[in-house]
Amino acid sequence: MRSSLFLGCCLLLLATGSCSKDSMSGTEEEQVLLPDFRLIGEDTENVFRYTYDGFAGSGTETNLTQSLGVDPLYLTLRQVGDDVSFYSFASGRFSLIQVNTFTGQAISYPDFYTVTDERAITWGTNSEDLIFLGNYSPKGSRDFGIRTLDPSDGSFTDLPIALNIQQAYAPLYYRQRLMFTYRDESGSYKIGIFDTENRTLMRTLDFNTGIPNVLIDDFGNIGILVGLGNSIFTYRVFDIETLDQLSETPFTLDVFLPPGPLQGSVFGSTLYYTEFLAQPSEVPFGPAFFDFGTNTGSEIDILGVVQQVEADTGSNVDLTAIRYYNDAGVFLVGYADTDFQNGLNGGVLVISNTGQLQARIPLPFVPTYFVEP
């Protein structure tokens, strides 16, 4: 299920025309080109697609609830290429709407799956043309499997994965590879890699008590960060076609990264990630990065940035989403105005990797997901 707007970013989420941009910087002003970006946002009754032109300094939004019927109470959002997929549930049936974030073209699969006593669905995701459902079967058990659905004709295949697992985590799809993380009966963390074209399980990687985070690196290969405890990690890279291991890099990082898809990305030798701050911090999370080459990391002073925004706007804000844009060298951070005087609204903070707030882009809704470029 989707987290609250005010508890963190993702799957684990109206003025037509342009929005204003309030530039801000520290004592040493940096010149940072604002990137083009796309995002998904929400107010209390609608879901929006928003496209920002960094050169023009303006953006346009589309109300997806009014134009396509996207349910503002959708369960989860997935991205494949330029398409985002909204999964919703009503009257015992799952539905799916896929939207191209560039063109706005959409495909709808209403009621593509009806819940039965046979199995319980724990997650859903999709490729360009197929839908994958992680499920427990029979319903009431912890026996885990994957159902592959062809929404064009309703046909499906089932593949048992493991008996009596302890926990299933969100999946990650990329180029005919579906990667899913789970904790087996004995408590070991595993990642299964499923060939979606042949509908076969290619390999299961066993990490024992190590906590894995899976990602796609900037070369299109599978990267897996494994937390071994006591701040000890290893970063393994696998060829996405052959699954041969290409490299392994040990490093130390004093953070906890929850299992499943990484909330972050790797570019070159640098990991950009979402750092969850120890509570009771005034903010729940913030952007951070780590250099594998030097084995050193840095955290953005997100509390200082939030305090600056609150002082400038006179409103309290909560952070909602983060993504690093490598081409521009900036973090984009979504926020919500929690005072609600004029409805649910928020904006985007543009933060350099040196921690300076470069711009604030107000929006009449709350950003909940930045589309991966």
Side-chain angles (χ1 to χ4, degrees):
M1 294 290 289
R2 184 165 54 109
S3 298
S4 166
L5 290 177
F6 307 126
L7 294 181
C9 53
C10 199
L11 208 177
L12 347 0
L13 310 127
L14 299 175
T16 302
S18 63
C19 68
S20 63
K21 178 182 69 179
D22 295 336
S23 296
M24 305 177 186
S25 62
T27 56
E28 296 184 7
E29 186 171 337
E30 295 176 311
Q31 297 298 318
V32 174
L33 178 67
L34 298 185
D36 298 340
F37 64 85
R38 293 160 288 157
L39 62 80
I40 300 300
E42 302 171 33
D43 62 16
T44 55
E45 298 178 347
N46 302 280
V47 178
F48 299 89
R49 173 176 65 94
Y50 180 79
T51 301
Y52 183 79
D53 185 323
F55 180 78
S58 62
T60 57
E61 77 265 354
T62 302
N63 188 318
L64 298 180
T65 300
Q66 293 180 2
S67 61
L68 299 175
V70 173
D71 188 344
L73 299 178
Y74 66 87
L75 292 174
T76 192
L77 179 155
R78 307 291 187 200
Q79 180 182 351
V80 176
D82 292 324
D83 294 339
V84 292
S85 300
F86 298 91
Y87 289 81
S88 59
F89 181 78
S91 302
R93 297 178 177 89
F94 289 98
S95 296
L96 170 64
I97 297 177
Q98 294 177 293
V99 183
N100 186 289
T101 55
F102 269 124
T103 67
Q105 293 181 327
I107 301 174
S108 179
Y109 299 107
D111 302 335
F112 71 83
Y113 180 80
T114 300
V115 173
T116 70
D117 290 336
E118 177 187 0
R119 66 193 66 241
I121 304 302
T122 184
W123 52 250
T125 193
N126 56 276
S127 64
E128 293 81 357
D129 54 358
L130 298 172
I131 298 172
F132 312 104
L133 300 176
N135 64 85
Y136 298 118
S137 177
K139 190 174 181 180
S141 81
R142 305 293 291 183
D143 296 346
F144 183 67
I146 293 176
R147 170 164 287 193
T148 302
L149 284 162
D150 186 335
S152 66
D153 60 13
S155 62
F156 65 88
T157 58
D158 287 318
L159 181 67
I161 299 298
L163 301 176
N164 196 33
I165 71 168
Q166 294 187 17
Q167 182 69 49
Y169 302 95
L172 176 65
Y173 170 82
Y174 184 74
R175 280 178 48 191
Q176 288 77 54
R177 300 290 183 263
L178 176 64
M179 293 145 281
F180 54 92
T181 306
Y182 64 97
R183 198 172 189 188
D184 71 9
E185 183 177 15
S186 67
S188 294
Y189 289 94
K190 294 183 175 180
I191 293 180
I193 303 176
F194 179 69
D195 183 329
T196 61
E197 184 175 16
N198 298 314
R199 304 191 187 188
T200 58
L201 183 65
M202 299 180 66
R203 184 177 299 179
T204 300
L205 302 174
D206 190 343
F207 302 95
N208 295 312
T209 57
I211 300 177
N213 281 250
V214 62
L215 60 102
I216 302 299
D217 72 7
D218 50 341
F219 293 103
N221 288 312
I222 300 170
I224 301 177
L225 298 161
V226 186
L228 302 174
N230 296 320
S231 304
I232 299 173
F233 283 79
T234 182
Y235 177 49
R236 306 175 190 175
V237 179
F238 297 83
D239 184 284
I240 195 165
E241 298 296 337
T242 66
L243 302 189
D244 293 337
Q245 183 167 314
L246 303 177
S247 64
E248 182 170 2
T249 305
F251 65 99
T252 55
L253 183 62
D254 188 21
V255 299
F256 172 75
L257 300 175
L262 177 75
Q263 295 187 30
S265 52
V266 170
F267 293 99
S269 63
T270 305
L271 162 69
Y272 301 89
Y273 66 97
T274 299
E275 180 185 27
F276 294 93
L277 305 180
Q279 297 304 303
S281 169
E282 292 183 37
V283 293
F285 58 85
F289 56 92
F290 181 88
D291 189 316
F292 295 122
T294 61
N295 201 41
T296 57
S298 181
E299 300 82 33
I300 301 300
D301 179 15
I302 191 62
L303 178 58
V305 171
V306 167
Q307 289 174 340
Q308 179 182 348
V309 173
E310 291 180 335
D312 290 337
T313 63
S315 300
N316 295 319
V317 302
D318 278 343
L319 305 184
T320 58
I322 294 178
R323 187 174 295 279
Y324 183 72
Y325 276 64
N326 186 56
D327 289 345
V330 296
F331 290 96
L332 300 184
V333 181
Y335 71 90
D337 181 341
T338 63
D339 291 339
F340 295 105
Q341 287 97 341
N342 299 308
L344 186 61
N345 54 53
V348 176
L349 308 178
V350 183
I351 304 172
S352 73
N353 55 22
T354 62
Q356 290 196 22
L357 179 60
Q358 296 297 318
R360 182 177 64 85
I361 304 170
L363 295 171
F365 49 84
V366 176
T368 52
Y369 180 82
F370 289 102
V371 176
E372 185 175 357

